[in-house]
Amino acid sequence: MPRSIHAFTAAAGSAMLAAMLATSAFAADPLRIGVPTDLSGPYATLGEEVMRAVRFATDEANAQHGIAGHMVEFKSYDTEAKPDLARRQSEKLVSEGYTILTGTIASGEGLAIAPLMDRWGSIYISTINKADELTGANCVPRVFRVNTQSAMDAATVKPWLAQRKEKKWAVVAADIAWGRGSGDLFDKAAKGMGKEMVADLYTPADVNDFAPYIEQIKKSGAEGVWVVLAGRDAINFAQQAKQFGLTSSVTVAGVSFTTDGTVKTLGDAAQGIYGIINYSSTLDTPENKTFVKAWTAKYNTPPTNFEGETYLGMQVLFQAVKTANSVKPDDVAKAMSGGEFDTIMGKLKLRAEDHQLLKPNYFGVVEKVDGVLRPVVKTTVSAADVAPAVTCKMPG
């Protein structure tokens, strides 16, 4: 063989080998998502919803050969909704290469892991945590929130509260960061409208007997009660509130209280309860209709609010990976901050100043639709009208 041809063949072979190695290296660089969430604690049902949404989004992406060529992997550990355990489980996930975290339920969990993102070289994307501090006083560059925070919920409830005739109100809320924050914001909103707060009751997690709290509400003379409970606590309270005649004697409303999942469990006990609706499978956008159709085909039921919000979080993450053309947390974080994203709720902006996604919010009531009880949107409040004030002072 002439030397020139041999040299060309060798060069071509080397180029092909290099291309194969590059392709192999690229294929071996997956997008790894860590999901520390409650799988056995008071919010275990919500953790199951998070896992369904992450799995659905992952399967959907991988069916299209991944995100910009990066196949998606996820791994989960149980946090039991305990901040200390969430911290340990998150660190374990990061040490195993799952450096993009999402899925914690309780705000205390998100607040526990947020300060560690820089040390771990990871990022955290909240899809459920509502405590304002996460993207406010305690904000950090590597933390992002795609769900509504408590201040946005408070802005959403004000138009409804303003038209209500009830003058005396009580709050019953979980004694955690989210419950305290949401309860305090409702107090301020009610008092700002000339209403009287006659009881503020904060309950520990996993309360089996709400009778003492219900009795206090009845004795207070409250005409309305704002409930800030979720998971098993929400179910226990709603069932006992009906049993002891509270729901038939006062107006009941809340946030994360009568979600799609809890309404399904509660049945008639949920009918007529008002509340914040952060996401609904009935939202009339082309993107949401497509999502709901695919989801229902897979699970034989429409997505719940937490499933919708978690899926939206995955949409934002995936688009940031495409923009960054990278799965490295630093690159993804830069693409997320200040970015605009096409989501099931339309095109939304993730504010650079505090890393809060600006999105519309909804208020409604549980009633029957085609014979099935579900939260039904009655009022839509625009993203501009619920946008929280920027209180974050992002570290440099």
Side-chain angles (χ1 to χ4, degrees):
M1 178 183 293
R3 181 176 295 179
S4 59
I5 298 178
H6 177 80
F8 177 81
T9 304
S14 297
M16 184 177 295
L17 178 60
M20 290 173 64
L21 289 173
T23 302
S24 176
F26 186 76
D29 190 22
L31 170 60
R32 290 194 171 105
I33 303 168
V35 191
T37 195
D38 184 3
L39 300 175
S40 65
Y43 306 133
T45 55
L46 308 187
E48 291 171 2
E49 293 179 15
V50 166
M51 294 308 302
R52 273 194 295 275
V54 171
R55 186 175 297 108
F56 180 87
T58 298
D59 290 346
E60 189 177 58
N62 287 339
Q64 300 297 317
H65 310 293
I67 305 300
H70 300 275
M71 299 301 285
V72 185
E73 300 175 4
F74 69 88
K75 190 171 188 177
S76 178
Y77 286 126
D78 186 8
T79 67
E80 301 176 22
K82 297 175 181 177
D84 287 344
L85 184 55
R87 187 185 302 113
R88 295 197 299 273
Q89 300 290 50
S90 297
E91 186 170 18
K92 186 176 180 181
L93 286 164
V94 170
S95 71
E96 294 173 356
Y98 295 85
T99 53
I100 295 178
L101 301 172
T102 191
T104 65
I105 308 296
S107 289
E109 297 177 275
L111 291 168
I113 68 173
L116 300 168
M117 291 300 105
D118 189 55
R119 183 196 304 177
W120 292 346
S122 56
I123 64 173
Y124 172 60
I125 303 169
S126 165
T127 66
I128 294 179
N129 302 155
K130 284 184 172 291
D132 295 335
E133 300 93 321
L134 189 68
T135 46
N138 295 358
C139 67
V140 294
R142 291 172 175 267
V143 171
F144 302 84
R145 174 161 35 202
V146 301
N147 63 292
T148 57
Q149 60 174 277
S150 291
M152 298 164 77
D153 286 338
T156 304
V157 77
K158 283 180 181 179
W160 175 81
L161 190 59
Q163 64 184 9
R164 300 301 302 181
K165 295 179 180 179
E166 298 86 356
K167 293 294 185 182
K168 296 181 178 181
W169 284 85
V171 164
V172 58
D175 192 8
I176 56 177
W178 161 59
R180 287 277 176 181
S182 183
D184 183 57
L185 286 168
F186 183 85
D187 274 13
K188 291 177 180 177
K191 290 175 181 176
M193 295 175 187
K195 300 181 187 294
E196 181 183 357
M197 296 304 303
V198 295
D200 287 289
L201 308 174
Y202 292 92
T203 71
D206 265 345
V207 176
N208 291 318
D209 184 10
F210 277 98
Y213 300 99
I214 293 170
E215 188 62 26
Q216 287 183 69
I217 293 169
K218 294 172 77 172
K219 286 182 177 179
S220 73
E223 301 165 290
V225 57
W226 183 252
V227 184
V228 191
L229 298 169
R232 286 202 297 259
D233 291 338
I235 292 169
N236 288 340
F237 178 81
Q239 289 175 333
Q240 292 172 40
K242 182 179 181 181
Q243 177 185 348
F244 292 109
L246 184 68
T247 51
S248 60
S249 60
V250 304
T251 297
V252 180
V255 56
S256 296
F257 176 42
T258 49
T259 64
D260 300 87
T262 54
V263 167
K264 186 176 180 180
T265 302
L266 289 169
D268 290 343
Q271 189 162 4
I273 296 178
Y274 294 90
I276 300 289
I277 300 174
N278 299 136
Y279 164 81
S280 170
S281 61
T282 63
L283 294 180
D284 191 15
T285 67
E287 299 88 351
N288 191 53
K289 288 180 178 179
T290 299
F291 165 58
V292 171
K293 182 178 180 180
W295 181 282
T296 305
K298 183 169 184 176
Y299 293 116
N300 297 315
T301 185
T304 66
N305 58 312
F306 291 121
E307 288 165 344
E309 286 197 290
T310 299
Y311 178 80
L312 187 152
M314 297 290 279
Q315 286 186 303
V316 170
L317 169 59
F318 291 169
Q319 289 173 55
V321 169
K322 284 183 180 179
T323 299
N325 194 27
S326 170
V327 296
K328 294 179 180 178
D330 282 351
D331 297 336
V332 175
K334 289 177 184 177
M336 290 184 70
S337 181
E340 289 192 349
F341 303 91
D342 295 314
T343 76
I344 52 177
M345 297 176 73
K347 186 177 286 293
L348 304 176
K349 184 177 180 65
L350 206 158
R351 196 161 57 182
E353 292 85 351
D354 57 0
H355 294 173
Q356 171 66 53
L357 188 72
L358 303 180
K359 53 191 289 196
N361 210 10
Y362 312 91
F363 196 88
V365 65
V366 178
E367 59 185 28
K368 286 189 176 180
V369 178
D370 297 327
V372 179
L373 281 172
R374 63 189 307 172
V376 177
V377 172
K378 296 296 183 180
T379 304
T380 300
V381 187
S382 72
D385 287 337
V386 299
V390 176
T391 58
C392 166
K393 293 182 179 180
M394 198 75 73

